[in-house]
Amino acid sequence: MARGTLELAERRSTIEDARAALEGLGEHLACASGPQLAELVGLLDDVASLASAARTQVAAEASGRGEVAGPEVHGWLRQHAPSLRQGSAASVARLAVDLAAAGSGPAAPVPDERSPLGLVWEAVRTGRIEADTGCAVLRETSRLAPLLQDAAVPTVTSALVDLAAEWGPSMMRRLRPRLLADHGRSGVFDDLHERLGSAARLSMPHVESGDLTEYQLWMTPEQAATLEAAIGPLSAPAPNPETREADLRPAGQRRVEALTELCRRASRPADGPEAVAGSNAVLHVTIPLADLVATRGAGEAIGTVADGTLLTALAVRRLGCDATLVPQLLGFRGEPLVLGRAARLFTRGQRRHLWLRDRGCTFPGCTAPASWCEAHHVVHWADGGATDASNAALLCPRHHTTVHRRRLWAEVRQHPDDRGRHVVWDLTTGSYDRIVGPAPPGRTPAVPAALLTADPGGED
């Protein structure tokens, strides 16, 4: 008898003995101590994981040598492994069929160990993850692969395997934005956020019983981070300072009252441009300095319930124009470079001047009034642009995003042209880079001057 056949017979005999030992085990558990129960459940978990992995290997062997093939694998598993009828047969069959297709010979399929299938198979074969989880990783990888740099596919697959092994497949989608920000092709993360913008919406009000009104709200990561930064301070518990009576309002009530207060403040009558000053939100963001200057990667919101929300570098640059942005700039190894100073904002006097000079959004064809607009740094704040009226133009939020996304340049004139414009935009995509110039590849950027001279108060 061949050595391999003898080993298989011995292993089968041992497996049969293990099955016999497991049958009726529950009848003997009453005599076990607490530590023994903990040790036993760990041992059983190891056995179950290895048994599941071995079962998948058997199916792969049968499919690889042609004992059963294609759609027949699923039925074969349901017949010979009845427990898989509860839902895992399809995943085991898919792995077996994919492995057979990837194998180099008629049996013992061996996929490329750096391919997604090879990495997943190694985790399934060794019992780290179940076949169901392995298939979930492959589905997620297939969605991400066209968006990733080619060299990053193995890294991303390994990260998904690790995450799924620790937390289960439901957590993988939460990692998708970070993976695209770190390993995506150029522009992919920005495009993702741009597409999210068209899906964001606020429903029409629906009056529920008791005269409560229900809204449904879907927001982009940038919108959600800005909202949380704005309502966070207003929704904190507010105990009575004199009586020391605790604030017993539920968190949900405090949040809706904070949102209402923001709307109330925004709808108060304004006395013209002098009423506009300060910032729309205080937003803390961590981002590598090189990514901020090169407009790549992602910043991460911190300090609110939106912690961990990823913002594109493009969004961070735009928010630097007209929000109290507190950047936590990081070096190549994550070390802090510039800590916690608010970006300088345009003052009341500067805003008054812009209202009177520009009258509204300066983007060609836009009729948004000045009260809807934000002050944009023509030479970007992140590139060291001065917070000065000669470096400023009013833009509505929509066109402010467009100008940053398309990297547009404007000429700010001291005297209006024949059409009455003080700000003349070059709508050619990339016109900003032709005037200011992009950061040279591989150069470690200097800290923008606007950060070094930032005024925490936002007022002169």
Side-chain angles (χ1 to χ4, degrees), residues 82-103:
S83 67
L84 293 181
R85 297 172 188 171
Q86 300 174 31
S88 298
S91 297
V92 176
R94 178 195 166 179
L95 280 176
V97 171
D98 287 353
L99 286 164

Side-chain angles (χ1 to χ4, degrees), residues 84-395:
L84 293 181
R85 297 172 188 171
Q86 300 174 31
S88 298
S91 297
V92 176
R94 178 195 166 179
L95 280 176
V97 171
D98 287 353
L99 286 164
S104 56
V110 181
D112 178 0
E113 62 180 12
R114 294 293 292 165
S115 70
L117 180 60
L119 292 166
V120 167
W121 174 239
E122 179 62 18
V124 172
R125 184 186 65 80
T126 57
R128 284 191 64 210
I129 60 177
E130 293 286 334
D132 283 340
T133 302
C135 287
V137 171
L138 288 174
R139 286 194 297 271
E140 183 68 11
T141 304
S142 66
R143 295 188 188 102
L144 290 174
L147 308 177
L148 298 172
Q149 303 171 39
D150 292 339
V153 173
T155 301
V156 169
T157 305
S158 296
L160 291 175
V161 168
D162 292 342
L163 183 71
E166 186 70 21
W167 300 102
S170 62
M171 292 292 292
M172 288 190 300
R173 186 173 181 182
R174 298 187 185 184
L175 191 62
R176 188 183 298 173
R178 170 56 68 186
L179 292 175
L180 290 177
D182 292 346
H183 304 291
R185 298 180 187 274
S186 177
V188 161
F189 190 57
D190 292 328
D191 291 344
L192 172 64
H193 277 236
E194 187 176 347
R195 289 197 301 273
L196 290 177
S198 62
R201 61 192 184 276
L202 172 63
S203 70
M204 296 298 290
H206 174 69
V207 179
E208 288 285 346
S209 58
D211 293 330
L212 288 175
T213 302
E214 177 187 357
Y215 291 87
Q216 291 185 314
L217 176 63
W218 295 263
M219 306 183 79
T220 67
E222 178 187 341
Q223 292 166 342
T226 302
L227 175 65
E228 293 302 334
I231 70 173
L234 292 176
S235 61
N240 190 305
E242 296 184 11
T243 66
R244 297 184 179 179
E245 181 182 0
D247 186 348
L248 300 179
R249 295 175 299 163
Q253 180 183 347
R254 296 197 310 268
R255 286 172 60 80
V256 75
E257 289 177 0
L259 180 59
T260 303
E261 176 61 22
L262 284 177
C263 295
R264 183 180 295 116
R265 293 179 183 181
S267 61
R268 286 173 183 162
D271 297 326
E274 291 190 12
V276 180
S279 66
N280 299 322
V282 179
L283 186 58
H284 294 251
V285 176
T286 63
I287 186 170
L289 175 60
D291 288 354
L292 178 66
V293 173
T295 318
R296 64 172 184 243
E300 184 173 339
I302 60 174
T304 72
V305 297
D307 272 11
T309 299
L310 296 183
L311 306 177
T312 65
L314 182 69
V316 175
R317 292 172 70 97
R318 185 177 60 78
L319 287 168
C321 286
D322 204 50
T324 302
L325 181 70
V326 182
Q328 313 286 339
L329 298 182
L330 307 175
F332 289 109
R333 294 180 297 277
E335 71 277 14
L337 300 179
V338 179
L339 299 179
R341 301 199 68 197
R344 179 183 294 274
L345 303 176
F346 289 96
T347 65
R348 282 192 176 93
Q350 289 171 320
R351 288 171 178 272
R352 181 191 310 119
H353 173 75
L354 294 176
W355 273 44
L356 295 175
R357 187 194 73 184
D358 294 343
R359 302 292 178 174
C361 179
T362 59
F363 197 87
C366 185
T367 58
S371 60
W372 294 7
C373 293
E374 302 164 345
H376 165 70
H377 291 73
V378 174
V379 176
H380 298 169
W381 162 82
D383 292 333
T387 304
D388 187 86
S390 62
N391 187 47
L394 289 184
L395 288 168

